[in-house]
Amino acid sequence: MNEKSLNTLEYFKIKQQAQQYLVTDLGKKELKHLSPYINKTEIEAALDETKDAADILRLQGGIPLPKIVDVKPFLKRLDIGATLSAKELAAVGKILRVTNEVRRFFRDLQDDEVDLTKLYETAFELETLPQVTKKLALSVENDGHVTDDASSLLKSLRRQIITTEQSIRDTLAEFTRGKSAKYLSEAVVTIRQDRYVIPVKAEYRNVFGGQVYDQSASGQTLFIEPKQVVSLNNRLSQQEAAQNEEIRRILRELSELIAPYTAEIEANAKLLGHLDLANAKAVYAKNIGATEPAITDEQFLYFRHAWHPLLDLKKAVKNDIMLGQDFKTMLITGPNTGGKTITLKTIGLIQLMGQSGFFIPAGEGSRIGIFDEIFADIGDEQSIEQNLSTFSSHMTNIVSFLDKITPHSLVLFDELGSGTDPQEGAALAIAILDDVAAKGSYVVATTHYPELKVYGYERPETVNASVEFDSMTLEPTYKLLIGVPGRSNALDISSRLGLPQTIIDSASQFVSKDSQDLNNMIGDLVQKRHDVEEEKIHTQQYLKESEQLHSDLEKAYAALNEQRDQLLEKAKQKSNDMVNETSKKADQIIADLRQMRLSGGSNIKENELIDAKGQINQLHQPENLKKNKVLKRAKQKHDLHPNDDVLVKTYGQKGVLLRKAGNHEWEVQIGILKMKINENDLEKISVPDENAKGNRTSVKRTASSGISTSLDLRGQRYEEALTNVDRYLDSAQLAGYSTVTLIHGKGTGSLRSGITQYLKNNRAVKNFEYASPNAGGNGATVVHLK
């Protein structure tokens, strides 16, 4: 992407906002060099990484990365045989420790079956060096301090130093107390030139002997090393020198330890920076409310409810923007400060963000295209030093990229042809648009020229658009209207400002109505196109949810089958155990009987045999009595025979079974009706006899019991009407009617609404609709019964 357009569209500000969420130097370095990709595979990979990071942010609060410095310069020094300082080794050790922690983090995610598309691959490229990591962690702390555990000699030397320092302090403490304290400027022990000294008044310099190492600015205090501690200070210096030499040896040893692994450590640092950038993109997306865009193979873009990412989300006006599928050129007209320029920048910047792997400030279901270049001529770049006018600066910029555009380029023109004579400017703008269209590029341009509105109607693959203006408040709404060219609103504004109506009416006669009718027609077509896009997005969402539900059901079904198999196996095992136990007890009883026969011959008493049989019978485990009663009662209810009295549960009516009409159906006599009813809808009942002969109850139909196919409810109260409808539908269903009419009149519509709601909830109603216009229209409802 050309640097000029990136700056014009303020792409760098997006990177500045994302940078605040980075913690590693290499992450910041990668973001600094980030630019939009032009290859679909790279764009998809970048968006997948951001999606993975967003999922991790939602589930785990983000990837656990601490602040990490760039160790590449340190590794280069190792490659030429240099020895690193303790702080440099600490930085390298931190890289190795974080590598272990991040790999462990992603391994735990994988164990928890968290679905990621790209970041597992990235994380498992990290190479751990366990022995090197352990040695560095043992020897050097994060602040660069070499620990006592780095070597046994270093630990011993440090103990000796502590002992010597304590001896020196104890010796000098005697001078700061008692009689000698009067010779001191201050009763303290201090250090000068790495030697322990005391501050002595200048006139008493010979009292303590020893050597003077420093004096105060006034010369009245001398810092003297008393002769009593000279040997101790010398010993301390030797011990410290030995300590420093041992530390140098340790640092040299550690540097040699990690020198063979500089390539692996550098690669690890780069991967950690890459993970840091993915994490930062996810956090940035969450904070601005951005969503993941889809990618089209063609240069079709569709931004739902899009807004400029640098505007306040709560105040920004959201617009639906489309380009590429039905038209490749969009001409936006409208008043100044109406939002034309910000719309251009929004289109360009959102596209740049999507091609860089950022989520975009738009609603779910938005799509981005893939453009090899985005050229933007936006703003007034006139220069006094270069003697360029507004027109000249625009033309210079346009000339610079006209020969570079391709069929895969997106071109953004702001006020094309402005800054010169209107007639010449409009002609020039049309010529430029024709040239760009001939090259197959995608164009969004803003203009004030009315000639370009006509151009939008006449040229193929071109559409007019405008930013809305409220003529009542005389303020722009910043809403983008695709398919409708901008109006000057001069008549409306003039009327609001008090221009006489006679003048307004006179001016209106010169305005053609055909133009506005065409505007409305095109606007309607574009709105329908937008509605189709929205419906497609909702359908895709429903499909996704259905597929997820199907997947969940398959998993649940598999788990249920597995559980069933396990329960069957357990039941078989338990049954086998019971059989084995029963067999053992039976064998024992038989053995006892044989023993009784052998011992008593044939004189076995009858009661002994009965007792033995009783022992065998006791091996039978009785079933749950309560459960048996329930099953028995349920079986009795469904044990049906001809001439049985039954209750038809759906209708709440009693009837008599005539014959079985199928596997699960019976023919039932209900009054004068004969109906086929599913046996699950029948309940066997007892009907008391009215005479000794057991005559069956019969229903006689009188002349007054005839049911009309329509019910007139006009003039009835709401509650009364619903009661009558309920009774009427029951009677109509028993009479075998399939269609009836409810006459409720039009009136205020409250009775009609109540009846409609009742019919929706009535299980006996198959469907219903208003009567035909010649049969009462919405004053009557035709009901189809099941």
Side-chain angles (χ1 to χ4, degrees), residues 379-384 386-396 418-420:
D380 185 0
E381 301 180 6
Q382 60 179 315
S383 169
I384 297 176
Q386 299 180 15
N387 194 28
L388 293 176
S389 64
T390 299
F391 176 77
S392 298
S393 65
H394 279 295
M395 283 301 106
T396 300
S418 64
T420 186

Side-chain angles (χ1 to χ4, degrees), residues 160-173 196 232 236:
Q160 295 174 26
I161 289 172
I162 292 173
T163 301
T164 303
E165 286 180 333
Q166 189 60 46
S167 298
I168 295 172
R169 289 182 179 277
D170 291 344
T171 301
L172 292 179
Y196 282 91
L232 290 174
L236 180 62

Side-chain angles (χ1 to χ4, degrees), residues 334-355:
N336 289 327
T337 70
K340 298 191 303 297
T341 301
I342 199 67
T343 300
L344 279 185
K345 289 187 174 182
T346 299
I347 295 171
L349 189 53
I350 288 180
Q351 185 63 42
L352 291 175
M353 291 176 65
Q355 289 189 221

Side-chain angles (χ1 to χ4, degrees), residues 400-461:
S400 69
F401 61 69
L402 272 182
D403 59 344
K404 300 176 183 177
I405 60 178
T406 70
H408 302 290
S409 299
L410 173 63
V411 185
L412 306 174
F413 291 116
D414 188 26
E415 299 298 346
L416 182 60
S418 64
T420 186
D421 177 77
Q423 187 174 359
E424 292 184 353
L428 191 57
I430 291 173
I432 292 173
L433 289 173
D434 280 341
D435 181 75
V436 175
K439 295 177 180 178
S441 298
Y442 297 79
V443 183
V444 182
T446 66
T447 181
H448 274 81
Y449 294 136
E451 292 87 349
L452 291 184
K453 299 178 186 179
V454 178
Y455 177 90
Y457 291 129
E458 295 176 345
R459 293 302 193 273
E461 297 185 314

Side-chain angles (χ1 to χ4, degrees), residues 212-502:
V212 176
Y213 279 93
D214 198 2
Q215 67 179 8
S216 65
S218 64
Q220 296 180 1
T221 299
L222 302 178
F223 295 93
I224 297 176
E225 177 191 33
K227 58 185 179 181
Q228 290 89 336
V229 296
V230 171
S231 60
L232 290 174
N233 269 332
N234 289 338
R235 185 193 308 169
L236 180 62
S237 297
Q238 293 170 359
Q239 292 170 344
E240 289 179 340
Q243 173 191 242
N244 293 335
E245 179 58 32
E246 177 62 9
I247 289 175
R248 284 192 291 272
R249 185 196 68 78
I250 292 170
L251 297 180
R252 185 167 56 253
E253 183 182 87
L254 293 175
S255 297
E256 292 172 354
L257 176 67
I258 65 177
Y261 306 104
T262 55
E264 290 86 348
I265 296 171
E266 183 177 350
N268 285 346
K270 187 174 182 180
L271 288 171
L272 292 174
H274 190 70
L275 291 173
D276 186 28
L277 179 56
N279 193 65
K281 287 180 178 179
V283 177
Y284 177 59
K286 177 183 177 182
N287 290 344
I288 69 169
T291 62
E292 179 186 13
I295 306 174
T296 58
D297 292 327
E298 302 84 2
Q299 281 68 37
F300 297 165
L301 59 86
Y302 178 63
F303 303 151
R304 294 182 66 231
H305 314 316
W307 71 95
H308 196 284
L310 301 180
L311 296 178
D312 185 349
L313 176 59
K314 296 180 180 179
K315 298 179 181 179
V317 175
K318 299 179 180 180
N319 283 306
D320 293 333
I321 303 171
M322 61 189 76
L323 183 70
Q325 189 160 357
D326 294 330
F327 46 85
K328 298 176 67 173
T329 300
M330 183 192 303
L331 301 177
I332 306 175
T333 52
N336 289 327
T337 70
K340 298 191 303 297
T341 301
I342 199 67
T343 300
L344 279 185
K345 289 187 174 182
T346 299
I347 295 171
L349 189 53
I350 288 180
Q351 185 63 42
L352 291 175
M353 291 176 65
Q355 289 189 221
S356 302
F358 284 97
F359 282 7
I360 63 173
E364 294 283 353
S366 296
R367 302 191 299 272
I368 61 170
I370 303 175
F371 297 100
D372 57 5
E373 276 286 4
I374 297 179
F375 297 101
D377 176 49
I378 300 175
D380 185 0
E381 301 180 6
Q382 60 179 315
S383 169
I384 297 176
E385 291 80 3
Q386 299 180 15
N387 194 28
L388 293 176
S389 64
T390 299
F391 176 77
S392 298
S393 65
H394 279 295
M395 283 301 106
T396 300
N397 192 29
I398 292 172
V399 169
S400 69
F401 61 69
L402 272 182
D403 59 344
K404 300 176 183 177
I405 60 178
T406 70
H408 302 290
S409 299
L410 173 63
V411 185
L412 306 174
F413 291 116
D414 188 26
E415 299 298 346
L416 182 60
S418 64
T420 186
D421 177 77
Q423 187 174 359
E424 292 184 353
L428 191 57
I430 291 173
I432 292 173
L433 289 173
D434 280 341
D435 181 75
V436 175
K439 295 177 180 178
S441 298
Y442 297 79
V443 183
V444 182
T446 66
T447 181
H448 274 81
Y449 294 136
E451 292 87 349
L452 291 184
K453 299 178 186 179
V454 178
Y455 177 90
Y457 291 129
E458 295 176 345
R459 293 302 193 273
E461 297 185 314
T462 304
V463 69
N464 280 309
S466 62
V467 286
E468 190 178 49
F469 184 85
D470 191 336
S471 59
M472 298 298 293
T473 62
L474 304 182
E475 292 181 354
T477 65
Y478 305 105
K479 283 287 186 181
L480 180 66
L481 305 176
I482 299 178
V484 180
R487 299 172 54 196
S488 66
N489 298 290
L491 298 181
D492 293 336
I493 295 174
S494 299
S495 177
R496 292 276 296 166
L497 294 177
L499 191 67
Q501 188 62 37
T502 53

